[in-house]
């Protein structure tokens, strides 16, 4: 697959995500507590495999089985996929801004950690993962490849493992507040999941 308008649009959205994350990573609080090494490995392995499956499904990295088309590429599926990717990017950025300096790419508590329940966190306990999953799913739909769908599945596993670990840490740090919050607000999809 060459640099078609579809691939260019998807690459642009993912580059915005990456650049935004790198810039915002400069404004985080120092780490106070970190999750155990094996917990971090448990979500990092499917995370990196998800990106590998996605990348190996198109372009010069394509591996034929993963590049197999499983979702017909129609104007509707391409527009839907790009739209979902853009919406996921917007949810991720909104969530990251709401977290402010409490964010970390690994499961940690930062110094003077605060339980954030405003913005998208009023509707989902893990909206960054929701945004990332929407980006993966949208990209998979737009490309229509088996690798994209496998990547989405692996990213779901990674996010689920990570959010379970994060919630254990948050319950230890904010026992009453987090339990009350988790009874009110669903994990990934408002009012559903």
């Amino acid at each position: 697959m060459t640099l078609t308008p579809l691939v260019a649009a998807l690459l642009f959205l993912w580059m915005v995500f990456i650049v935004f994350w790198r810039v915002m990573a400069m404004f985080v609080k120092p780490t106070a507590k970190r999750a155990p090494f094996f917990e971090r490995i448990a979500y990092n392995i499917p995370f990196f495999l998800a990106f590998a499956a996605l990348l190996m499904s198109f372009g010069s990295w394509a591996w034929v089985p993963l590049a197999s088309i499983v979702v017909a590429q129609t104007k509707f599926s391409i527009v839907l996929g790009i739209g979902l990717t853009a919406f996921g990017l917007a949810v991720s950025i909104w969530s990251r801004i709401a977290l402010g300096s409490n964010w970390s790419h690994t499961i940690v508590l930062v110094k003077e950690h605060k339980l954030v329940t405003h913005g998208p966190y009023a509707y989902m306990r893990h909206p960054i993962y929701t945004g990332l999953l929407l980006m993966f799913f949208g990209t998979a739909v737009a490309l229509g490849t088996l690798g994209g769908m496998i990547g989405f599945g692996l990213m779901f596993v990674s996010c689920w493992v990570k959010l379970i670990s994060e919630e254990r840490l948050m319950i230890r740090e904010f026992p009453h507040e987090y339990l009350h919050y988790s009874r009110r607000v669903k994990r990934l999809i408002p009012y559903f999941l």
Side-chain angles (χ1 to χ4, degrees):
M1 194 180 291
T2 58
L3 189 62
T4 63
L6 163 64
V7 173
L10 293 171
L11 286 175
F12 172 77
L13 292 169
W14 280 101
M15 288 307 298
V16 169
F17 178 85
I18 291 165
V19 168
F20 181 79
W21 242 249
R22 297 299 299 168
V23 169
M24 293 298 286
M26 295 187 293
F27 304 101
V28 297
K29 296 176 186 174
T31 300
K33 294 179 190 173
R34 186 177 303 275
F37 174 76
F38 290 108
E39 282 187 31
R40 295 193 310 265
I41 290 296
Y43 67 81
N44 273 321
I45 290 173
F47 179 85
F48 289 112
L49 289 175
F51 276 101
L54 181 63
L55 287 174
M56 291 173 58
S57 72
F58 73 98
S60 58
W61 301 288
W63 181 49
V64 173
L66 292 179
S68 302
I69 300 297
V70 295
V71 175
Q73 285 189 298
T74 64
K75 284 183 182 178
F76 176 76
S77 69
I78 291 170
V79 169
L80 176 65
I82 291 173
L84 286 170
T85 305
F87 182 63
L89 174 63
V91 169
S92 295
I93 288 174
W94 182 30
S95 305
R96 180 62 186 82
I97 290 169
L99 265 185
S101 59
N102 287 299
W103 176 85
S104 174
H105 70 284
T106 60
I107 303 169
V108 301
L109 287 172
V110 294
K111 291 184 180 178
E112 300 174 18
H113 200 105
K114 294 186 179 14
L115 180 61
V116 176
T117 59
H118 64 277
Y121 292 88
Y123 309 101
M124 304 164 271
R125 296 195 314 258
H126 303 278
I128 289 176
Y129 301 152
T130 299
L132 185 58
L133 289 168
L134 281 168
M135 289 184 73
F136 251 86
F137 186 68
T139 301
V141 168
L143 294 174
T145 61
L146 176 62
M149 293 299 170
I150 291 171
F152 169 72
L154 288 166
M155 186 55 67
F156 185 85
V157 168
S158 174
C159 288
W160 195 262
V161 168
K162 191 173 181 184
L163 73 81
I164 296 296
S165 269
E166 283 179 356
E167 290 187 348
R168 279 195 296 254
L169 188 62
M170 297 303 277
I171 288 168
R172 282 194 300 268
E173 187 68 16
F174 305 102
H176 303 295
E177 301 98 314
Y178 198 81
L179 286 173
H180 176 71
Y181 173 60
S182 65
R183 285 188 200 106
R184 286 186 299 112
V185 179
K186 297 291 185 183
R187 287 178 167 142
L188 295 171
I189 304 171
Y191 312 108
F192 181 68
L193 175 68

